[in-house]
């Protein structure tokens, strides 16, 4: 902690990172300053509450600094407002610009080591490589969305069943909210698949041909599919089910852009040792959040005050969850708390393509946007990012993973956990081949609700397929031999976090940085 | 329902210690492995001796499943009589506390232990007379008042004459020499002296045989009020400032007596405030710290969070865990005690004043604060032998009433208060904040806390040195070989074999480099460097500077309060203390110098190892601190083997002192409960919170839905 990269000292704060500005004097009440509500008294003290939980506290001693104090306070308030950009970046990002300086001459080779081994999922090659690592047989990379014309908020490349032709795949987009179709996000070595999708479009009325394609996409010939409702976030139960070789677990969420990101990445953190290595984690965030179209600017509250605010720290929640896991399993992660803190802080920094845009399409567009005249110039310059393989037009902002630009080598060394065993990046060894699911054949669709599975008809099915009634049996019945949670020694590589109260902690290095003694 | 395994008729006999007598037993007792409703468990024999309650199942005879960390005296299914906290009987699903005479005998027995284990025994299959005998036997021997001489300590000591010299470098403070050495070690011998005034306990039975007072205190004043009103030395800081303690006079009705006492005290204060003594600062702990009653109440509530009957209970309370924890106030008490210790450390270190701790008996909170201050300021107290010597000095010989405070004899619950546990909890906070500064581990603290209830050691079973000495003589056994020779708890070999003892030593302890004679100067320099704290407060600066400082303070106060209202509403400690604390924390830690605990709310944590070790719901498979520890031990082993290889290559020198490191390598991923819990089960939060479940039960449609659920478990096995 205490490494703020670009900013030179602990006393600097990026304008978008200012959460609240409060001025106080001995003669009036403390006042919150905004661009519209200006100061009516000479401030004696100024407190800057930062989004990264720091608190900068300035006082102006009375010897003739009064006018400056007044000007400075108002200037900060206005600059801060100007720093927030209007609406989504797609509407043009006035107020912010990318530096036009040339990249620095001296290039340190190993500096971007973390970056080069991080898959940015901007190129076809990245998707192919990761699919190969997962060893997901029966899936292929589809370039159907290459021009973002099928689903604007989805990435260019999607993992879909091999048996489904692009022609057929195209039929399915219309039936999902925001055209976000079900697609693979992770393949369990034992054979289960984790899918994510938006919920079905309420107005869609698929014809028979569409139904065939939809079912092909959702069910394939893999057997029953379980829909896990993100409304209750049953993470443990999810992996339980994935492990029980229910062939596929699909996460539908109305938008597929918030909690699905959280859940999909948490499941992978628990189940895939590679995701717990530093490059693996960066790739995970890149795929499940950045490429998947998590609307960072809106959720992090980086937009201008008067634009519609839909702030919700979903990504920060994910970082906190990751910290809980890191704390519970200190020897299983390749990265450290310092890394998570750096990522946390960087999310309020406007200089990274990672958090500036809501989807891949916008990132691509940004390269052509015009720069306003009052360009902000951060110290230092940027390296041309462009992951391996190029991808869409080079974005002028570097990804957040270019740590070498902002953090010293020494600081970066603190990102790596000496006790952690980074997972292998090579293809996962296939587990025992999945046994065919004994029940229901391939047309069974189940929902996971409150720890139990209930059959769920797809919207276009008239009635659920016939099957014998079954008794309630929560999948977690305790101590059952053979089950994931009943066995004494879980599969190596799988983490089973404890969710009981005593095991959940406050991430104090993150949240309590504002206390003076912590700084 | 219960799947009955044929009770095995094999005769299993309890393992008895010397002097241990079997009092009663019952066979075909069913012990639940886990009280989760699954009713799984084992049949066996429940016995009660004059030392312990013990459950013997078929496995207890065979020893193939030896755990790595095993207590030789108290086994997994043993509960010493002093370790029993409360016993409940279950009658028709209703729990009732069992204390004295019983009219009806329960079908189930739940024993809550002071080391936080919970045992569930089912007596339904036991013969009625056996139930009567065992239940009344257990309740009688563990819950009713006892005579001191009936403690197992005495039978053990007379049956097993102790010839071991288990001091292992621990200073016992039983001799004048020990006190003089301590004075010399801390360089307190210029102004303080060890006195023999209390030989034969002439002064007081509460005071130790030898103790240390300021040189200027006369023998008459010591004798005048049985040692009350006399400042007794605890420890001297490197700068000469001393930590003293004093027991006060009881409240007098008589005016003239209290006048005289006041005059006496004034005289004492005057003598020890004069040079060569530093300024004196008084701290009346009875007003500045929570009362013993508060501490007892808080701990009683706190431990209830961990004495969990069954899994259902756990998950039911889990929803409210943080608010329940908060409401116990236990962590807040730990915080206040740590804060007080920092205050005292600041006075000694920065202000160069002597600190006199005042308490009615000077044997409770005085012990906590003085021990903590020494652990923080004296790196010797952070070694194993140093810590043990400290406990001897301040607690055992210092006269802490262990017998009363632990209520070992069940004499009076009013006297009970977990004062020593409070110290261990505070030290644990330091250990987990600065692991490399301590030679011992948290496991050491945990087993030390468990040893409070093992009555084969004299350490924690007397109220004072006097009480121990007078009972040692063995009057009733005059014909016997003479005075009892008690074991001390510091002889860890009694409880643990060398392999298990390795868990008590911190492999990452940053050992103090041994000062070579040639390097003395640098060592001293280092010693001084650790004091490089702002010393501005100590001496008033020039007048002008002083004025400036004053105005600065004024401004700070005015504005500080104003802004403080919305920034930090917590009551702020005085400025100098805050500065001391902040400036120390802004510097890199010197593990051999002053150590200040961080005391902000979230930094004060629950001692998970001690309190959660028997709760499988809170365990992490392959996680927790043990995961890192295992990695480190692996590395150390590798380093050591490489070292051996190098030594072999370089010379013929035999490296004999390779420390043995517990072998963790071959074991599978360890659970966070390691090295305590042997049970490896996982309990999962019920998908439906209990409260919701209840709501749902009222709904009719649940019945209908029932049929639609799919049972997956059957096929997945």
């Amino acid at each position: 902690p205490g490494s703020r990269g670009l900013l030179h000292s602990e006393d600097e704060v990026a304008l978008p990172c200012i959460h609240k500005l409060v001025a106080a004097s001995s003669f009036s009440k403390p006042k919150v300053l905004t661009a519209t509500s200006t100061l009516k008294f000479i401030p004696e003290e100024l407190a800057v509450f930062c989004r990264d939980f720091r608190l900068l506290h300035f006082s102006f001693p009375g010897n003739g600094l009064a006018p400056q104090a007044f000007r400075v306070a108002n200037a900060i308030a206005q600059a801060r407002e100007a720093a927030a950009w209007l609406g989504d970046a797609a509407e043009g990002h006035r107020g912010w610009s990318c530096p036009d300086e040339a990249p620095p001459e001296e290039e340190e080779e190993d500096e971007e080591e973390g970056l080069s081994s991080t898959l940015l999922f901007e190129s076809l090659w990245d998707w192919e490589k990761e699919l190969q690592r997962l060893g997901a047989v029966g899936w292929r990379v589809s370039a159907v969305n290459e021009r973002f014309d099928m689903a604007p908020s989805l990435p260019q490349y999607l993992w879909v069943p091999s048996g489904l032709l692009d022609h057929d795949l195209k039929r399915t987009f219309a039936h999902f909210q925001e055209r976000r179709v079900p697609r693979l996000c992770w393949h369990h070595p034992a054979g289960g698949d984790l899918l994510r999708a938006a919920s079905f479009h309420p107005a869609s009325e698929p014809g028979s041909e569409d139904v065939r394609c939809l079912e092909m996409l959702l069910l394939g010939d893999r057997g029953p599919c379980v829909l896990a409702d993100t409304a209750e976030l049953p993470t443990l139960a999810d992996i339980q089910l994935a492990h029980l070789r229910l062939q596929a677990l699909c996460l539908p969420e109305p938008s597929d852009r918030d909690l699905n990101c959280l859940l999909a990445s948490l499941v992978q953190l628990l189940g895939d040792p590679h995701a717990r290595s530093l490059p693996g984690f960066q790739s995970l965030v890149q795929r499940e959040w950045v490429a998947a179209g998590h609307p960072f600017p809106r959720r992090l509250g980086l937009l201008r005050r008067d634009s519609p605010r839909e702030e919700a720290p979903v990504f920060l929640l994910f970082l906190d969850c990751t910290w809980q896991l890191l704390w519970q399993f200190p020897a299983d992660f390749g990265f450290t708390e310092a890394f998570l803190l750096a990522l946390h802080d960087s999310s309020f920094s406007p200089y990274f393509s990672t958090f500036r845009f809501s989807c891949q399409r916008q990132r691509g567009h940004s390269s052509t946007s015009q720069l306003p005249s009052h360009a902000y110039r951060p110290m230092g310059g940027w390296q041309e990012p462009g992951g391996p393989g190029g991808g869409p037009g080079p974005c002028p902002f570097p990804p957040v993973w270019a740590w070498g630009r902002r953090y010293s080598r020494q600081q970066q060394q603190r990102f790596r956990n000496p006790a952690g065993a980074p997972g292998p990046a090579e293809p996962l060894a296939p587990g025992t081949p999945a046994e065919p699911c004994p029940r229901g054949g391939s047309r069974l669709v189940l929902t996971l609700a409150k720890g139990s599975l209930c059959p769920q008809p797809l919207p276009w099915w008239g009635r659920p397929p016939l099957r014998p009634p079954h008794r309630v049996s929560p999948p977690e019945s305790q101590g059952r031999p053979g089950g994931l949670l009943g066995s004494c020694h879980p599969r190596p590589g799988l983490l089973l976090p404890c969710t009981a109260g005593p095991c959940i902690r406050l991430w104090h290095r993150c949240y309590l940085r504002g206390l003076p003694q912590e700084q | 329902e219960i799947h009955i395994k044929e009770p095995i008729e094999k005769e299993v006999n309890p393992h008895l210690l010397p002097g241990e007598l079997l009092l009663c037993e019952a066979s075909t007792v069913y012990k639940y492995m886990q009280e989760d409703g699954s009713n799984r468990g084992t049949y066996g024999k429940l016995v009660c001796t004059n030392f312990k309650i013990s459950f013997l199942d078929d496995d207890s005879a065979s020893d193939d499943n030896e755990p790595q960390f095993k207590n030789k005296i108290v086994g997994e299914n043993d509960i010493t009589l002093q370790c029993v906290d409360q016993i409940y009987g279950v009658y028709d699903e209703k729990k009732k506390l069992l204390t004295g005479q019983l009219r009806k005998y329960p079908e189930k027995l739940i024993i809550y232990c002071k080391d936080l284990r919970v045992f569930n025994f089912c007596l339904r299959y036991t013969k009625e007379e056996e139930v009567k005998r065992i239940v009344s036997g257990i309740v009688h021997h563990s819950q009713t008042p006892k005579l001191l001489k009936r403690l197992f300590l005495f039978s053990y000591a007379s049956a097993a004459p102790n010839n071991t010299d288990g001091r292992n470098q621990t200073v016992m403070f039983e001799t004048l020499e020990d006190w003089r050495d301590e004075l010399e070690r801390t360089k307190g011998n210029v102004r303080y002296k060890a006195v023999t005034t209390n030989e034969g306990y002439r002064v007081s039975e509460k005071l130790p045989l030898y103790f240390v007072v300021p040189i200027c205190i006369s023998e008459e004043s010591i004798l005048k009020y049985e040692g009350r009103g006399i400042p007794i030395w605890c420890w001297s800081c490197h700068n000469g400032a001393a930590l003293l303690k004093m027991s006060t006079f009881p409240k007098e009705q008589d005016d003239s007596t209290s006048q005289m006492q006041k005059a006496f005290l004034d005289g004492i204060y005057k003598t020890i405030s004069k040079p060569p003594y530093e300024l004196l600062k008084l701290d009346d702990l009875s007003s500045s710290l929570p009362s013993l009653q508060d501490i007892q109440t808080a701990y009683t509530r706190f431990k209830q969070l961990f004495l969990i009957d069954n899994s259902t209970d756990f998950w039911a309370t889990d929803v409210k865990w943080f608010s329940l924890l908060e409401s116990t106030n236990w962590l807040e008490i730990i915080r206040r005690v740590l804060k007080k210790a920092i205050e005292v450390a600041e006075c000694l270190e920065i202000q160069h004043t002597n600190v006199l701790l005042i308490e009615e008996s000077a044997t409770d909170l005085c012990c906590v604060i003085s021990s903590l201050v020494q652990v923080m300021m004296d790196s010797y107290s952070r070694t194993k032998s140093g810590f043990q010597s400290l406990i001897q000095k301040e607690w055992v010989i210092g006269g802490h009433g262990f017998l009363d405070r632990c209520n070992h004899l069940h004499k009076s619950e009013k006297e009970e208060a977990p004062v020593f546990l409070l110290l261990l909890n505070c030290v644990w906070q330091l250990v987990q904040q600065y692991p490399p500064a301590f030679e011992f581990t948290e496991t050491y603290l945990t087993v030390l806390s468990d040893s409070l209830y093992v009555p084969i050691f004299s350490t924690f079973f007397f109220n004072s040195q006097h009480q121990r000495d007078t009972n040692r003589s063995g009057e009733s056994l005059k014909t016997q070989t003479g005075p009892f020779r008690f074991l001390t708890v510091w002889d860890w070999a009694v409880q643990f074999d060398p392999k298990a003892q390795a868990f008590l030593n911190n492999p990452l302890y940053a050992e103090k480099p041994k000062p070579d004679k040639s390097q003395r100067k640098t060592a001293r320099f280092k010693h001084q460097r650790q004091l490089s704290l702002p010393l501005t407060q100590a001496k008033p600066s020039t007048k002008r500077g002083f004025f400036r400082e004053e105005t600065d303070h004024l401004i700070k106060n005015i504005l500080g309060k104003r802004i403080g209202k919305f920034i930090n509403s917590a009551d702020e400690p005085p400025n100098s203390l805050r500065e001391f604390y902040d400036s120390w924390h802004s510097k890199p830690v010197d593990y051999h110098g002053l150590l200040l605990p961080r005391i902000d709310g979230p930094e004060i944590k629950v001692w998970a190892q001690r309190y959660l070790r028997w709760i499988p719901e809170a365990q992490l498979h392959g996680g927790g601190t043990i995961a890192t520890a295992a990695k480190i031990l692996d590395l150390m082993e590798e380093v050591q083997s490489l070292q051996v290889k190098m030594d072999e290559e370089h010379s013929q020198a035999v490296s004999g002192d390779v420390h043995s490191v517990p072998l963790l390598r071959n074991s599978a991923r360890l659970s966070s409960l390691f090295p305590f819990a042997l049970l490896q089960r996982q309990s999962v939060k019920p998908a439906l919170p209990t409260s919701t479940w209840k709501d749902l039960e009222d709904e009719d449609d649940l019945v209908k839905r029932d049929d639609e659920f799919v049972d997956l478990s059957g096929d997945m096995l």
Side-chain angles (χ1 to χ4, degrees), chain A residues 25 30 44-45 57 328-330 332 419 439 450 452-453 455 470 472-473 478 485 498 501 504-505 512 517, chain B residues 318 321-322 559 562-563 600 602 605 617 620-621 623-624 628 631 669 682 684 687 706-707 709 711-712 715:
Chain A
S25 89
E44 288 169 17
E45 293 216 353
H57 199 171
Q328 290 194 7
F329 302 97
D332 286 285
R439 197 195 312 285
K450 298 192 167 131
S452 297
L453 294 171
H470 296 286
V472 182
S473 171
Q478 289 141 9
L485 302 166
C498 175
I504 303 299
R505 299 226 167 171
L512 298 182
Q517 57 274 22
Chain B
D318 185 60
W321 162 259
F322 287 104
L559 296 174
R562 183 165 286 284
I563 290 239
D600 311 293
K605 292 185 179 143
E617 283 78 6
L620 308 168
H621 285 283
T628 346
K631 285 253 171 187
R669 279 159 68 90
Q682 178 94 18
V684 170
D706 209 304
D707 284 338
F709 282 93
D711 178 9
L712 288 155
D715 299 281

Side-chain angles (χ1 to χ4, degrees), chain B residues 327-355:
Chain B
S327 69
T328 66
N329 207 35
W330 177 245
L331 295 186
E332 180 57 28
I333 286 177
I334 291 175
R335 190 154 99 130
R336 281 181 65 184
V337 168
L338 287 172
K339 195 168 137 192
K340 171 60 71 187
I342 295 173
E343 267 174 58
V344 173
E346 194 255 350
C347 291
L348 294 168
E349 179 90 43
I350 306 299
Q351 303 185 16
H352 292 267
T353 55
N354 286 342
V355 178

Side-chain angles (χ1 to χ4, degrees), chain B residues 61 111 125 274 334 403 483 509:
Chain B
I111 303 182
Y125 312 103
K274 273 192 295 206
I334 291 175
L403 213 47
Y509 175 55

